[in-house]
Amino acid sequence: MLFDISCLPKNKILCIDMKSFYASCECVDHGLDPLEDYVVVVSDKNRSGSVVLAASPKMKQDYGIKTGSRLYEVPCRRHIHIFNARMKRYLEISVQITELFSTFVPFEAILTYSVDESWITLDGTEKLHGSPMEAAQKIRSAIWNQFGLPSCIGIGPNRFISKVVLDVYAKKQGIAECTYEEIPKKLWPVPLREIWGIGSRMEKHLNNMGMYTLGDVANSSLDRLRKRFGVIGEQLYNHAWGIDLSPPFIDARTFPQKSIGKGIT
């Protein structure tokens, strides 16, 4: 690798995602199986054009219904359950899950990314929870046992790597890990559209520059990327090499955390 990875921070960070969170919550509340039953959550089930906000894994697998689909695309089948979204309920469960995380790590080691996704930093917890893989297995089991909700976890030395390995591998495998040394093998072949932080417009610009995978960005010229995208180009280049220097902990001196709050727009 071009960079000396011995100089890069090696934290133990988990990126935890609740699988089909809204649909899974409805399954638990209605006595259904989140992994086996067919469930769709929509904004208003009385409108045929209502947007699908969540679909259970079986709906995605067997019918191709996913977030962003429309209600009229959902087949009329007796075994398919359709529910109106209950955002207040999902927020309540999300806060409870975050409180569960606080039994594994202190509050400053928890960073909420969205209502169904969080990063937690495990540094210093080895004697309590073992290796990052062992800790991830414990947390995943605790979520399932306490809430009956499925989850998946990406493990990496920084937030970026843990998030990408979550999206690319853990959402299929349950738990996946990637180190700096494994980036060329595990992350460089990944298409740009699957990389966190690269939207469709950015992907199109990079495609026009002859880049289609994360490896293409890593092996491009930093000057070329910086000239085309400015500071964003430099960030793209660093991310392609797995570099993310964002702090693993919330600085309690600068941002004292007294409670957990969540909201949805």
Side-chain angles (χ1 to χ4, degrees), residues 140-204:
R140 194 164 179 246
S141 295
I143 295 170
W144 178 261
N145 293 335
Q146 185 167 330
F147 301 100
L149 297 172
S151 60
C152 45
I153 302 177
I155 307 171
N158 58 46
R159 289 180 192 162
F160 175 78
I161 293 176
S162 65
K163 169 63 176 168
V164 174
V165 77
L166 165 77
D167 291 340
V168 176
Y169 294 105
K171 289 186 177 181
K172 300 172 185 176
Q173 303 172 7
I175 301 177
E177 186 172 9
C178 182
T179 64
Y180 288 118
E181 293 83 357
E182 295 173 315
I183 287 173
K185 178 182 178 181
K186 289 187 175 181
L187 301 188
W188 281 2
V190 178
L192 292 173
R193 71 182 67 91
E194 297 182 32
I195 300 299
W196 176 57
I198 298 181
S200 57
R201 290 182 63 185
M202 176 61 75
E203 180 190 20
K204 185 176 180 180

Side-chain angles (χ1 to χ4, degrees), residues 31-92:
L32 303 171
D33 188 328
L35 297 177
E36 295 298 329
D37 282 307
Y38 297 82
V39 173
V40 174
V41 177
V42 297
S43 53
D44 182 357
K45 65 180 181 180
N46 294 318
R47 293 191 304 110
S48 63
S50 187
V51 175
V52 173
L53 301 178
S56 63
K58 278 290 189 178
M59 284 301 304
K60 297 174 184 177
Q61 176 184 321
D62 295 350
Y63 294 103
I65 300 299
K66 56 187 179 180
T67 302
S69 298
R70 298 287 179 167
L71 180 56
Y72 60 75
E73 299 178 76
V74 179
C76 294
R77 303 283 189 275
R78 184 174 297 179
H79 63 275
I80 295 178
H81 306 270
I82 302 173
F83 298 105
N84 281 331
R86 297 180 297 152
M87 306 310 293
K88 182 179 178 181
R89 175 60 175 157
Y90 309 147
L91 283 171
E92 289 173 352

